[in-house]
Amino acid sequence: MKIGIVLNPASGRRGKRLFWSALRRAIEARFTDLSLRETKGFGDAERFGRELAEDGADLVIAVGGDGTIGEVAGGILKSHRPDTAFSFIATGTGCDFARNFPRSRDPSKIAESLMSPSLRQIDAGLLTCDDEDGDTVSRHFTNIASFGVSGHIVQAVNEARKGRRLPGPMIFFFHSLLEILRYKPRDIRLRLDGEDIYEGPITVVAVANGAWFGGGMKVAPDADVADGLFDVVIIRGAGRLKVLSLMNSIYSGRHLRSSLVSIHRASLVEAWPIGRVALPIDSDGEAPGQLPARFEIMVGALSLRI
């Protein structure tokens, strides 16, 4: 069995890095045909994922945070072998994608599970938008893409992670608080499966394949990564104190009780800004671009080995 591993060496705190070291030894004890690539910057994980799949890997494993996982999955899907088996070891700041699945912390059990022939077909998202230079970019995501204050939060979190001393959830919480206090609701137009369903101010719109984002916020409690549809959560604009209270309730999923929140299901999401203010996008914890944007579901696109 030929295995390719894409490792983000900067991902996670000391405990998670030690866990990966133990798991790596367990994997090397069971597999002899291994190829390890280490990322140095944005885009490396996608390129390595594509190259490993096209080099004939039977399984490509992403080791890192949600951004690394999303990039590696995107690389496989952009390769000539998009059905290549995919797996992940979550060592990042938020680890939100991993929350959608049962997890073990036993390196031996995880290494054994990688030998299993069973696969689960799960959905992926495809985001098309413009980057800061106005160039069109296309990026896959495995978990959630969103825009509004979340785009500003992910930019701040990614900058803070370069020299972080706090645990991931605390980083997300601190910068969520700071950016909410700075944020002014922006007007957008939102279309789902060809139907205009909302026009007005937003705090956040989450296009959810998985249930969690922001380091443990359960924004789309009923989202299923294999149901062929996005759960689209609209949190309309409101005053700062109201938004702070509402964002805090997302951790438990209680935000869905608010009159400011609505949830929809769709396979195609299109969004445009109203006015000239930039609205950055968060895609699996990375910031690839801004509105206008198009989000498409890719049903059963990923062959996942848990």
Side-chain angles (χ1 to χ4, degrees):
M1 187 174 181
K2 186 175 181 179
I3 292 184
I5 298 173
V6 180
L7 169 67
N8 180 354
S11 177
R13 292 170 65 83
R14 183 172 182 272
K16 290 182 179 179
R17 292 176 186 173
L18 290 174
F19 167 71
W20 161 242
S21 296
L23 178 55
R24 178 177 175 177
R25 290 193 295 271
I27 293 174
E28 290 174 339
R30 291 163 175 79
F31 303 96
T32 57
D33 195 352
L34 292 175
S35 179
L36 174 65
R37 312 274 182 98
E38 294 191 10
T39 65
K40 295 181 179 179
F42 182 76
D44 285 354
E46 180 179 290
R47 176 164 53 87
F48 292 155
R50 184 183 69 251
E51 291 174 353
L52 288 167
E54 292 181 347
D55 285 346
D58 298 298
L59 173 66
V60 178
I61 305 172
V63 183
D66 290 329
T68 302
I69 292 169
E71 279 195 53
V72 173
I76 294 171
L77 292 175
K78 290 181 178 179
S79 77
H80 299 312
R81 298 178 64 238
D83 56 347
T84 299
F86 169 69
S87 191
F88 65 89
I89 308 298
T91 62
T93 305
C95 295
D96 287 305
F97 181 63
R99 299 174 196 269
N100 295 289
F101 308 96
R103 289 180 288 174
S104 170
R105 298 298 293 177
D106 185 324
S108 295
K109 289 182 178 179
I110 294 173
E112 288 291 337
S113 72
L114 294 176
M115 302 175 71
S116 168
S118 62
L119 297 172
R120 181 185 179 192
Q121 299 303 129
I122 67 167
D123 306 330
L126 177 61
L127 161 66
T128 305
C129 65
D130 287 347
D131 63 17
E132 292 182 352
D133 297 324
D135 297 323
T136 299
V137 296
S138 177
R139 176 187 172 91
H140 292 89
F141 59 97
T142 56
N143 190 41
I144 290 179
S146 65
F147 51 90
V149 70
S150 58
H152 296 284
I153 290 170
V154 77
Q155 289 178 334
V157 167
N158 287 345
E159 185 64 28
R161 285 193 304 190
K162 296 176 182 177
R164 70 177 182 270
R165 295 292 182 269
L166 297 173
M170 290 184 67
I171 292 175
F172 274 107
F173 181 81
F174 173 76
H175 286 285
S176 294
L177 176 63
L178 190 61
E179 295 303 321
I180 288 169
L181 291 174
R182 293 173 173 171
Y183 182 74
K184 295 180 180 179
R186 308 303 186 189
D187 287 346
I188 61 115
R189 180 163 61 94
L190 188 66
R191 179 179 295 168
L192 305 183
D193 290 335
E195 180 182 356
D196 290 331
I197 60 102
Y198 181 73
E199 184 172 316
I202 60 152
T203 298
V204 174
V205 174
V207 182
N209 189 35
W212 286 268
F213 79 161
M217 293 181 173
K218 200 172 186 180
V219 67
D222 297 324
D224 182 339
V225 295
D227 65 356
L229 291 169
F230 292 125
D231 283 29
V232 183
V233 182
I234 304 171
I235 302 179
R236 288 179 280 281
R240 290 182 177 87
L241 291 179
K242 181 66 175 178
V243 170
L244 281 171
S245 175
L246 187 58
M247 295 296 278
N248 185 57
S249 71
I250 296 178
Y251 287 96
S252 64
R254 296 194 316 273
H255 62 294
L256 297 184
R257 303 173 188 173
S258 171
S259 60
L260 291 173
V261 179
S262 61
I263 189 164
H264 313 262
R265 309 192 78 209
S267 59
L268 173 63
V269 180
E270 297 168 282
W272 298 264
I274 297 176
R276 300 180 63 85
V277 178
L279 266 173
I281 297 169
D282 160 27
S283 176
D284 282 344
E286 301 292 344
Q290 57 195 11
L291 295 190
R294 176 184 176 96
F295 310 81
E296 303 170 68
I297 197 78
M298 301 181 67
V299 180
L302 275 174
S303 301
L304 181 68
R305 181 167 293 157
I306 301 297

